[in-house]
Amino acid sequence: MIYLDNAATSWPKPPRVHQAVARFLAEEAGGPNRAGHRMSVRAARVVQEVRARLARLFRADEPERMIFCLNCTDALNMALKGCLREGDHVVTTVLEHNSVNRPLQALVDARFITLTRLPITAAGSVDPDAVRKAITPKTRLLATLHASNVMGTVQPAAELGRIAREHDILFLLDAAQSAGVLEVDVREMHVDLLTFPGHKSLLGPTGTGGLYAGPRAELRPWREGGTGGDSVTPTQPRELPTWLEAGTPNTVGLAGLNASLEGLQPDTVHAHEQRLVRRLRGALADDERIRIVGPTCDVGVGVVSLLVRGVTPQDAAAILDESFGICVRPGLHCAPFVHRALGTFPDGTVRVSVGHATTDAEVDQLAAALREIAA
């Protein structure tokens, strides 16, 4: 099998992740901070280690601001519904995943907020000048992804962060496709809220993810309940991370994520993925039956969307799976507005997403299979 759906979840996970999960279940799987016995202490140590690793990865000064979530969707809901107040205005883009689109639209439908959704340029990014013009006195939040899960294009995050800071509004960066591949520095990028999954390019297990809640972002709790340390306070304790973390965390998943972060090499993975993307684009460049959707991006992530003439994306993906053993993803990829902008709505595209373990030979086999389908 050739796995080219890493934008959904990375596979295979490094052996150290498997080993860490098995070891944790066998030796350390107590409830962290729920008791003083050795199993609880060991579990708490793992949770502390992964929190510290994430803080170093994203250049966050305070590890306690790294909040564990179920996934990036959970983190985005926590951020959006935690920071917005009635009457607020939000600026976002057509590039966004439904994990941003749907919570915001629900708040618009409830007449709780107003929303401006900005178009993209021919280069596949939002125009910073358009962001400036969209900000109003009621704007509280600028929310944008870092890298597109449809085209792989990268947004000018640092410039957008500066604009947000100049206008004293919050900046939310969705790093679903960039965390573990591109450099993300919450200080230099002026990021107030950073959301990320553990199961994509961070190479951890599913059911892991997180939210960086910066000091400028005052969030209401997304969930409330047990914390292990304070059972007396009648409401959720105000200290971070317990203010935003209730209940026993996914310690097994975090053990795996801790191991994946220990050996993570973002620069190496990014260079590898970009070389593979260039190889695929080059292999298909002279075939008019196959169209690559979206602009070429020299600093993008490992995502390519394409169309095969005369074949729907759904049929093309099914043939790749059943006849060639190649896993890709067809459709809208949970990002309907960008497909409308690209003219690929409602069928979407075939999305190919390479990963840390993808080889040149696998990319070549995909290109050959696509040409055979086109024929």
Side-chain angles (χ1 to χ4, degrees):
M1 182 185 72
I2 296 175
Y3 184 81
L4 297 173
D5 193 21
N6 289 277
T9 189
S10 57
W11 188 88
K13 307 298 182 184
R16 64 182 182 274
V17 175
H18 309 173
Q19 295 161 5
V21 168
R23 182 173 61 252
F24 182 84
L25 285 171
E27 301 173 8
E28 302 171 327
N33 301 317
R34 265 61 182 176
H37 58 71
R38 67 189 66 185
M39 293 286 282
S40 178
V41 170
R42 289 173 181 171
R45 187 180 301 122
V46 170
V47 172
Q48 291 166 357
E49 284 179 1
V50 69
R51 205 185 301 277
R53 288 187 196 280
L54 288 168
R56 288 194 296 272
L57 177 65
F58 299 128
R59 310 293 195 273
D61 292 326
E62 303 169 86
E64 62 269 22
R65 293 190 174 277
M66 307 304 305
I67 310 301
F68 295 128
C69 305
L70 300 173
N71 43 49
C72 200
T73 298
D74 191 41
L76 284 163
N77 274 270
M78 182 183 293
L80 294 169
K81 296 174 182 177
C83 80
L84 294 174
R85 307 293 187 264
E86 187 171 5
D88 284 346
H89 173 247
V90 178
V91 178
T92 188
T93 80
V94 298
L95 288 164
E96 308 310 313
H97 190 278
N98 276 340
S99 297
V100 170
N101 293 328
R102 287 175 171 166
L104 289 178
Q105 190 61 49
L107 293 172
V108 170
D109 292 347
R111 301 182 183 277
F112 191 77
I113 65 166
T114 57
L115 178 66
T116 298
R117 187 176 282 112
L118 297 175
I120 53 174
T121 67
S125 64
V126 64
D127 183 352
D129 287 335
V131 172
R132 288 189 180 91
K133 293 175 183 177
I135 295 172
T136 76
K138 291 188 175 182
T139 305
R140 179 180 292 270
L141 178 70
L142 167 61
T144 180
L145 51 71
H146 193 190
S148 170
N149 71 319
V150 175
M151 298 178 291
T153 53
V154 177
Q155 302 306 297
E159 186 173 2
L160 297 179
R162 283 194 298 272
I163 293 170
R165 196 59 58 91
E166 288 168 4
H167 290 81
D168 195 27
I169 66 174
L170 298 175
F171 180 39
L172 184 157
L173 188 66
D174 174 5
Q177 299 299 329
S178 61
V181 179
L182 301 178
E183 181 177 354
V184 179
D185 187 323
V186 295
R187 292 174 298 185
E188 289 192 1
M189 293 177 171
H190 305 291
V191 174
D192 298 299
L193 296 160
L194 178 76
T195 61
F196 55 92
H199 66 98
K200 297 189 181 185
S201 293
L202 293 182
L203 307 180
T206 53
T208 60
L211 164 68
Y212 164 73
R216 297 175 72 244
E218 296 182 8
L219 303 183
R220 295 183 300 274
W222 173 237
R223 61 179 67 86
E224 295 156 294
T227 59
D230 180 351
S231 297
V232 175
T233 306
T235 57
Q236 195 72 8
R238 296 285 307 191
E239 312 75 43
L240 289 174
T242 53
W243 177 239
L244 299 173
E245 286 182 2
T248 302
N250 177 12
T251 49
V252 178
L254 292 177
L257 180 60
N258 192 37
S260 71
L261 291 171
E262 186 176 4
L264 200 67
Q265 296 179 308
D267 290 345
T268 301
V269 173
H270 185 224
H272 173 68
E273 290 186 359
Q274 279 303 286
R275 185 179 60 76
L276 294 174
V277 165
R278 289 193 295 269
R279 187 180 186 92
L280 179 60
R281 286 178 174 270
L284 301 176
D286 60 350
D287 195 326
E288 296 181 354
R289 303 165 302 176
I290 301 168
R291 177 167 74 91
I292 294 178
V293 176
T296 301
C297 180
D298 292 335
V299 295
V301 296
V303 173
V304 176
S305 274
L306 54 86
L307 295 169
V308 180
R309 189 167 63 196
V311 185
T312 68
Q314 292 70 24
D315 286 346
I319 296 168
L320 285 170
D321 182 26
E322 295 168 7
S323 299
F324 298 94
I326 300 175
C327 301
V328 296
R329 181 177 176 182
L332 298 174
H333 318 111
C334 301
F337 292 101
V338 71
H339 280 283
R340 289 184 187 274
L342 294 170
T344 51
F345 188 89
D347 287 340
T349 59
V350 174
R351 185 182 71 184
V352 177
S353 48
V354 298
H356 72 107
T358 308
T359 66
D360 291 1
E362 289 173 333
V363 169
D364 294 345
Q365 289 179 61
L366 170 66
L370 287 169
R371 285 193 290 269
E372 189 170 340
I373 293 170

